[in-house]
Amino acid sequence: MRKNKSMIFWFCLPALLSLLIMFVYPVCRTVIMSFFQVESVTATTADWSFYGLGNYFKIFNSASFMTSMRNMLLIWLVGGVFTLAIAMLMAVIVTSGIRGKKFFRAAIYMPNIISAVALATMWIQYIFNYDFGMLNEIVQFFGGEKVKWLGTDLKFWAMTGSFIFGSVGYYMLIYISGIEGIPQDLYEAATIDGAGKGKQFFSITLPLLKGVIKTSLTFWSINATTFFLWSKMFSPIDTESSTIVPVIYLYDMVFGGKGITTRDAGAGAAVGVVLTLIIIAVYLVTERLFKGSDLEY
Amino acid sequence: MKKINWKKELRLLPGYIVVGVWVLFTAVMLFWILGASLSTSREIYKGEIFQFASGFHWSNYADAWNAQNVSVFFGNSLLYSVISCAGVLAISAPAAYVLSRWQFTGGKALRIGLVVAMSVPVIMVIMPIYSLSVQWGIKGRVLLVILYIMLRVPYTTIYLLDFFSTLSRTYEEAAYLDGCSGPNTFLKIMLPLVQPAIVTVTIFNFMSVWNEFFMALIFTSSETMAPVGVGLLNIINSMKYTGNVGGMFAAVIIVFLPTFLLYIFMSEKIIAGVTGGGVKG
């Protein structure tokens, strides 16, 4: 086939420009900005003054940033363990030969495709509602006292719990596609050798899913680090220490939140860089931990 | 009909219970919201939503649609989603095609750049984009559409690229011998061949733009240009003062419905697309 140079150029140009304008230039500028003292996000580079690691010292000395980091870590760890474990359980059940497999798979994935704002609203306004919410109806049915699910004490866990519900489906699909790639004769051989379902899961399924689990860990880390929407929905007007996460902190710093009088775009950029470094670190660690996971079978 | 193997089904019973409870919970939640959206706020607080003692309150929907501006948010989201989907295809399909067909200087770099861009967090790009938009004087609806298009280019290009590479080169050779030009071959022969992939990727782009929240929150300066996500947040915030719970649940249903209906009709295609592309949707 003839190579048409001008066609290649014109066909690639818009995509190349999108990449440069939307990703390459902003990422570089954010990294550079994190080393400068910049008040307004719209300030021209002429108004930037070099600050070294000042922004980084500033955020790590900020109590609310450290709270937000602690919340993020909890979401990543606790939310991650529950989400991935439930997703794996669902994936194993759905592929175990049950009837209505397609229905269950579609129904469990469903929360992932609807507007997350709508989903969060359903949880906040119905499930956790103090007066008529589902959880308090259940609690009362068993003779318990109504619980303030959205009070300061429980709010974080209410947020994490509903976020888990909204996330399980996606990871379940990843695991299902992994499980369906495992040859059936491995299980048949194991059954003949007298291995039970539980042993089969830990000796065949889990080791062969290493690559898929690695992928899901990376995706989960990105999701937990860039956590924003659910926090905003649970504390829509005032940022609260029970639900603050780094992106909310960044948002308030750069674009303004209630009670924050000074803007600091430089510190915001530093938050972005820190979060990106965390994602890269998690990626590298999982790559190393799951080394040689692309098994042939 | 296949005979039911009761022994096998009994062994699977614990599994049925687990997925059954999970799905039941989801269903109860949705039905309750639907019931509440047709009840008065008083009935909701008294826990009498499924009795409909005072009839179905369709007025909640009218109220949400007109008085609470859901029609505006809905129209905005539709506008953003449809234009973005078309725009991103116009940019990504040609690039995906030439990247899959020819080796050329910078081609590999562009490809790697696109893959890396898929996992760049939005927080790393949002601040410079904000200042750039002010500097260039682009704002409002136009800005959001441009941003959504550019945001979806990496994912769409890589997704289509995989499909173009599976096509045989004999099509192009035949077209070339018939005197068909390169761009014409692309438009008239190659593009129709990847139609299934275009449908899948467009569904994902549509849902992604429809549900987008972060950028919409930052770049919509007024209610008149807010998409459904930001609009719903505004409704909830104002509900604290109006106390119109029924209207709020009606708004939730309206926002929830489009992607849900799309899913009902296309769930097989969507589910296959989530893992098929090997990338997040």
Side-chain angles (χ1 to χ4, degrees):
Chain A
M1 230 176 354
R2 205 169 50 94
K3 202 160 155 180
N4 183 338
K5 278 209 173 121
S6 75
M7 174 173 142
I8 290 175
F9 175 77
W10 290 110
F11 272 36
C12 278
L13 188 66
L16 180 67
L17 285 178
S18 302
L19 186 66
L20 292 178
I21 298 173
M22 190 74 193
F23 297 96
V24 178
Y25 164 76
V27 167
C28 296
R29 191 175 152 121
T30 303
V31 172
I32 296 169
M33 198 162 91
S34 74
F35 298 108
F36 283 81
Q37 200 160 28
V38 186
E39 196 179 309
S40 163
V41 67
T42 52
T44 51
T45 43
D47 295 331
W48 294 13
S49 59
F50 188 71
Y51 202 24
L53 289 173
N55 286 322
Y56 293 91
F57 285 122
K58 184 187 166 179
I59 58 171
F60 279 103
N61 280 322
S62 146
S64 44
F65 180 70
M66 292 317 282
T67 313
S68 76
M69 288 292 275
R70 206 202 60 206
N71 284 344
M72 181 189 89
L73 193 71
L74 271 180
I75 293 168
W76 179 75
L77 188 69
V78 180
V81 167
F82 278 97
T83 305
L84 300 184
I86 297 172
M88 181 64 83
L89 178 70
M90 296 295 178
V92 169
I93 293 172
V94 167
T95 53
S96 68
I98 58 169
R99 285 155 180 279
K101 172 189 164 185
K102 283 184 180 171
F103 166 76
F104 284 119
R105 189 179 61 178
I108 296 171
Y109 181 62
M110 195 274 294
N112 291 72
I113 58 100
I114 62 173
S115 160
V117 177
L119 185 65
T121 309
M122 293 179 187
W123 277 82
I124 297 166
Q125 303 294 338
Y126 169 47
I127 306 286
F128 293 131
N129 188 289
Y130 182 77
D131 297 304
F132 50 78
M134 184 202 269
L135 286 184
N136 273 350
E137 295 277 314
I138 296 173
V139 168
Q140 280 183 311
F141 178 80
F142 287 106
E145 285 276 306
K146 278 187 180 180
V147 179
K148 278 205 165 117
W149 300 101
L150 298 176
T152 321
D153 297 342
L154 286 175
K155 202 173 202 177
F156 175 81
W157 296 110
M159 178 179 79
T160 309
S162 46
F163 177 61
I164 292 171
F165 172 82
S167 311
V168 160
Y170 176 65
Y171 297 94
M172 177 194 72
L173 286 192
I174 298 184
Y175 292 150
I176 287 178
S177 80
I179 291 173
E180 287 180 335
I182 300 174
Q184 274 304 309
D185 46 355
L186 287 178
Y187 293 104
E188 281 157 24
T191 311
I192 292 167
D193 290 344
K197 282 278 170 202
K199 187 154 174 58
Q200 286 183 18
F201 174 75
F202 287 104
S203 313
I204 302 174
T205 313
L206 220 44
L208 290 179
L209 285 185
K210 257 185 171 178
V212 180
I213 294 172
K214 187 179 77 184
T215 313
S216 68
L217 274 176
T218 311
F219 285 167
W220 176 259
S221 305
I222 296 177
N223 279 343
T225 324
T226 55
F227 193 89
F228 172 79
L229 188 148
W230 289 79
S231 179
K232 190 79 193 159
M233 293 304 293
F234 273 77
S235 309
I237 296 169
D238 298 321
T239 300
E240 296 168 45
S241 62
S242 59
T243 54
I244 190 173
V245 286
V247 183
I248 292 277
Y249 177 82
L250 177 151
Y251 179 86
D252 285 350
M253 278 290 229
V254 178
F255 300 102
K258 217 175 162 186
I260 291 172
T261 43
T262 54
R263 304 279 166 92
D264 193 339
V271 174
V273 172
V274 168
L275 296 183
T276 307
L277 288 177
I278 292 174
I279 294 174
I280 294 172
V282 171
Y283 173 76
L284 292 176
V285 169
T286 42
E287 277 297 313
R288 182 151 277 232
L289 276 179
F290 290 83
K291 216 173 173 186
S293 57
D294 300 320
L295 292 170
E296 301 262 338
Y297 43 78
Chain B
M1 222 183 113
K2 226 166 76 182
K3 208 168 156 259
I4 300 176
N5 180 349
W6 288 108
K7 230 172 117 186
K8 179 183 164 230
E9 299 295 326
L10 195 67
R11 202 168 39 76
L12 293 171
L13 188 65
Y16 278 115
I17 294 174
V18 173
V19 288
V21 167
W22 187 274
V23 173
L24 184 73
F25 171 80
T26 316
V28 168
M29 178 167 83
L30 294 182
F31 274 110
W32 191 93
I33 306 273
L34 188 65
S37 74
L38 292 167
S39 306
T40 62
S41 302
R42 228 183 94 122
E43 286 167 335
I44 296 171
Y45 272 96
K46 282 170 82 182
E48 297 171 346
I49 62 159
F50 282 106
Q51 298 163 11
F52 300 115
S54 51
F56 293 103
H57 288 270
W58 294 104
S59 58
N60 282 340
Y61 283 87
D63 177 62
W65 188 253
N66 299 317
Q68 304 200 50
N69 282 335
V70 173
S71 58
V72 176
F73 309 142
F74 199 92
N76 285 337
S77 277
L78 208 59
L79 185 86
Y80 298 151
S81 309
V82 171
I83 299 181
S84 308
C85 283
V88 75
L89 274 186
I91 294 178
S92 287
Y97 174 62
V98 293
L99 280 172
S100 76
R101 276 327 196 221
W102 293 283
Q103 303 253 335
F104 52 93
T105 326
K108 203 173 174 203
L110 179 59
R111 207 168 159 157
I112 293 172
L114 290 169
V115 172
V116 172
M118 278 196 289
S119 32
V120 169
V122 182
I123 42 161
M124 280 303 275
V125 304
I126 202 84
M127 286 170 269
I129 289 291
Y130 192 92
S131 73
L132 213 56
S133 72
V134 173
Q135 209 180 318
W136 289 356
I138 309 171
K139 56 186 172 191
R141 294 197 173 89
V142 179
L143 174 66
L144 263 185
V145 168
I146 293 175
L147 292 182
Y148 285 148
I149 290 175
M150 293 199 294
L151 193 66
R152 299 303 292 172
V153 161
Y155 166 78
T156 313
T157 312
I158 297 297
Y159 192 93
L160 292 179
L161 201 157
D162 285 343
F163 277 84
F164 275 120
S165 352
T166 61
L167 298 179
S168 160
R169 281 166 186 269
T170 49
Y171 296 108
E172 285 127 308
E173 276 152 20
Y176 179 64
L177 290 178
D178 287 343
C180 191
S181 72
N184 249 335
T185 310
F186 164 71
L187 269 180
K188 301 223 170 94
I189 300 166
M190 303 312 282
L191 210 50
L193 286 173
V194 291
Q195 200 197 349
I198 289 179
V199 172
T200 308
V201 86
T202 301
I203 295 172
F204 279 101
N205 286 338
F206 182 88
M207 294 196 302
S208 159
V209 175
W210 184 272
N211 295 336
E212 207 283 331
F213 181 69
F214 190 57
M215 287 199 172
L217 192 65
I218 288 171
F219 290 108
T220 49
S221 41
S222 77
E223 274 232 322
T224 53
M225 55 178 96
V228 286
V230 176
L232 192 56
L233 181 65
N234 290 343
I235 291 177
I236 295 157
N237 287 342
S238 66
M239 192 202 61
K240 292 192 182 81
Y241 311 106
T242 61
N244 185 357
V245 188
M248 190 238 354
F249 282 123
V252 169
I253 292 287
I254 299 175
V255 171
F256 149 91
L257 225 45
T259 45
F260 181 71
L261 288 180
L262 195 66
Y263 187 59
I264 297 260
F265 292 113
M266 306 217 150
S267 68
E268 286 296 299
K269 211 173 170 67
I270 292 172
I271 286 173
V274 174
T275 44
V279 279
K280 57 177 176 160

